[in-house]
Amino acid sequence: MNSNPTFLLNGEPVSLTDCDPRESLLRWLKRRRLTGTKEGCADGDCGACTVALIATDCKGTSRLQAVNSCLLPMGLLPAREVITVEGLVDKGLVDKGLVDKGLVDKGLVDKGLVDKGLVDRSTVDKSGTNSERLHPVQQALVDSAGSQCGYCTPGFVMSLFVGLHEDALDDHAIAGNLCRCTGYGPIRQAAARLADERPQDPRFAQLKAQSRKPLPASQLQNFFSPSTLADALTLKARHADSQWFAGGTDLGVSLSHGLSHGQPLASVLIALDRIDALRQLAISDEHVRIGAGVPLTELESALQGIFPALDEMLPWFAGRQVRNRATLGGNLGSASPIGDLLPVLLALDAVIHLRGPDGEREVATADFFIDYRKTARRDDELIVAVTLPRRSDLWSTSAKVAKRQTDDISIVAVAFVLARDSQGRISHARLAFGGVAATPKRALLTEAFLLGKRLDPAVITEAADRLRSEFEPLSDHRASSDYRRALCANLFLRCVYETSANETSVSEPAASEPAA
Amino acid sequence: MSISPAAWRHESAVGHVTGRAIYTDEQRPALGMLSVYPVQAPHAHARILSIDSSQARGMPGVHAVLTASDVPGENDTGPIFHDEPLIPADLVSFYGQAVAWVVADDEALAQAASKRVIVSYEPLPALTTIAQAIAAQAFHLPPAQVARGDALTALASAPHRLAGELLIGGQDHFYLETQTSWVEIDGEGTVHITASTQHPTETQIIVARVLGLPANRVVCCSLRMGSAAACAWAVASVARRPRPIRMPPSLRWLRTRADDRCGSSCRARWT
């Protein structure tokens, strides 16, 4: 392993020797007086600390990725490339000969450049010099009056910057960024203008196009990033007090606060994001096998259209910065009762593949959750993949209700899967819920009630009534028990009726089928 | 497409989008500045029986633990009504209220030492809902009426009447920049406050009141704010303290989001 680990910060190599591997990149930047990256919450909720990572997939293709620097421990950084808001302004105009260095040295303004549109007038007006040019995203926000207090602005700049260069400038690009005072209107106008004009900045296109090798294994003190499964399992066996670290969107919060659900974190962390075997995605006619380390944004694009319940949940799982890092393995390993993908995996009969010192075994998702954050995984085992069976006869959907729509913890999340036989009777039912018990759960009683019945209005109403009383959810600061019960019933009604209004395939036998 | 003419641009816009706009905590506080951290009450309503700060004060790097008796001027920070003690002397009136402040070499140490301050409380009944407060006739201020004409008679003769209750749930602001301030005292004893506050004048006046100084000995600057926080006076007020404890004349206070959420006395109904 490299004894002098470094990473690239805005193109410049920076040494990581002697750096605290558990300190967040956000705090590290702040200590280095790179204060453009802001701390609003240090929880991954507000997006003010958004930076761009260069992520290279297992095929060697690089893309820019917006991530929350508050959730990124320094231990993950060796050999990575990071761009912060300080790296966006093009300072190279002098080098390119666009600006006369003599003029700049004298603090004089080259008015010709303003006229040519090469330099933003406000920069000229402000500094009296014109040796730099704002990135098009920065310019668009300036022009749209997209900043007021400015504290959230660098985060929006970085989310839009990645959105522009990755051709993904929809509202979801900024769903992980909170603004308290400017208002989203001008920011969305800037985004719309950028999506419309697609201005290019060749510096970052070139940066993406560079060929890169897979990230090598690395170690910063007690923070390990192995590059193979075998090495990961060896490290786990060697360090009794150690913990897996997947995308870090949950554990990263714990690192920020020093505790993980009231418990101190293990003294050794083993990061999994450099292991190619965990990032494979295999799609066949019978099933889809998802590596436990595939980031959720990659699932979103690669699996689109295969599992509607998954498609519908992923955008609401969290902001894009979190989804760029979060993984199925991490969601399963954390096993939170409000892990939003867990009801989906339950409803789709996912099988979980665990690898330990004694080899690999499979566990059905239904058998995986044992108690509050307790699972069938043994401490020395690693979740390596999840297999979802494909069935063409299934209707599936999902929904999530939280206090705010984007980037929030759910009150109740649901995933429903139904199939009917040729007579229009329900032959397969999976009604899975998060936020109603200590673990994600299926409504087994209501599922049994539905089997063999047609989804006529009386049955739908009766099923909803049964769902209202099938669980005994907690009352907490997010919602009361009664509200959660109401959601169990009403989300079922909504999903069934919305779908039947669109397709007629659920509550009515399809028109093409012969009447029974 | 240009949405607003260049002339209308925010004067700080380029600073905002490039990350060069500097906020309170990002200015360069003097080297050797001490940090403060509050000891917060775990009760909504309680009598303070005693505060034992000997353990905390014995920790290396801890300079002082300040309580109500250390306030040199009027122990009150209410901007209009003088009903908010800076540090309560005997009565806790909200959960998370700071009953003592630890002054130490850095934030981590001040926070660690705050856990070693032993406060003994006698919990008192707390009214935590509007209904309870009305039942107990416990009003925050005497009820105020705005009256014109004879509303009751007019209502009694109205052809249609609607009756009901309206509950307005207050919400706490999610300002992006957490509350932050720092203070230096110059060689002439003038208190210089740098704070993330939308009301520097109010801060100046309250700090002067708490310190027992004329207002012209207190200066408050706010370069810019991350969407409007306040509360600088807490730091400023502890910056000057009675002798004999020696203390470098500069202090800073940076709140994390979690501290910020539970230490605010404003807009209390968080549902």
Side-chain angles (χ1 to χ4, degrees), chain A residues 125-159:
Chain A
D125 293 345
K126 195 177 172 76
S127 62
T129 179
N130 52 16
S131 59
E132 64 177 31
R133 177 166 39 175
L134 295 180
H135 186 275
V137 164
Q138 296 171 314
Q139 192 62 56
L141 278 167
V142 170
D143 292 344
S144 310
S147 73
Q148 181 165 275
C149 85
Y151 203 80
C152 68
T153 310
F156 277 97
V157 166
M158 294 312 292
S159 288

Side-chain angles (χ1 to χ4, degrees), chain B residues 73 188-191 193 203-219 240:
Chain B
E188 304 298 322
T190 302
V191 178
I193 306 162
T203 302
Q204 175 197 24
I205 291 167
I206 293 173
V207 168
R209 182 204 301 163
V210 170
L211 294 180
L213 290 174
N216 68 359
R217 306 314 300 272
V218 178
V219 177
R240 212 186 83 153

Side-chain angles (χ1 to χ4, degrees), chain B residues 5 9 30 38 44 53 59 61 81 106 116 158 165 168 175 190 216 218 220 226 229 233 235 237 249 255 259:
Chain B
R9 282 180 191 157
S53 58
M59 291 168 72
F81 298 101
D106 61 41
R116 309 273 286 272
E165 282 186 12
I168 299 171
Y175 34 79
T190 302
N216 68 359
V218 178
C220 179
W233 24 264
V235 173
S237 312
R255 285 177 139 184
D259 296 333

Side-chain angles (χ1 to χ4, degrees), chain A residues 297-358:
Chain A
T297 39
E298 207 174 311
L299 283 188
E300 248 171 284
S301 49
L303 299 186
Q304 197 171 36
I306 300 181
F307 303 106
L310 191 62
D311 291 344
E312 287 158 23
M313 188 61 85
L314 280 170
W316 306 116
F317 180 88
R320 192 172 277 167
Q321 294 94 317
V322 169
R323 301 200 317 277
N324 277 333
R325 294 286 308 160
T327 64
L328 272 191
N331 212 216
L332 281 163
S334 297
S336 162
I338 42 170
D340 288 334
L341 289 177
L342 306 182
V344 177
L345 297 181
L346 270 176
L348 292 173
D349 289 330
V351 173
I352 297 160
H353 303 262
L354 300 169
R355 173 115 26 118
D358 307 325

Side-chain angles (χ1 to χ4, degrees), chain B residues 5-53:
Chain B
W8 294 2
R9 282 180 191 157
H10 192 315
E11 48 86 22
S12 292
V14 171
H16 291 159
V17 300
T18 55
R20 290 181 197 142
I22 294 294
Y23 294 77
T24 298
D25 193 56
E26 299 158 7
Q27 297 175 56
R28 294 168 187 253
L31 281 175
M33 193 163 266
L34 302 180
S35 289
V36 295
Y37 198 86
V39 178
Q40 292 177 286
H43 303 286
H45 191 200
R47 203 177 309 286
I48 302 169
L49 300 177
S50 65
I51 298 179
D52 176 3
S53 58

Side-chain angles (χ1 to χ4, degrees), chain B residues 88-103:
Chain B
D90 48 15
L91 200 65
V92 170
S93 57
F94 62 92
Y95 184 95
Q97 190 169 16
V99 298
W101 291 85
V102 177
V103 184

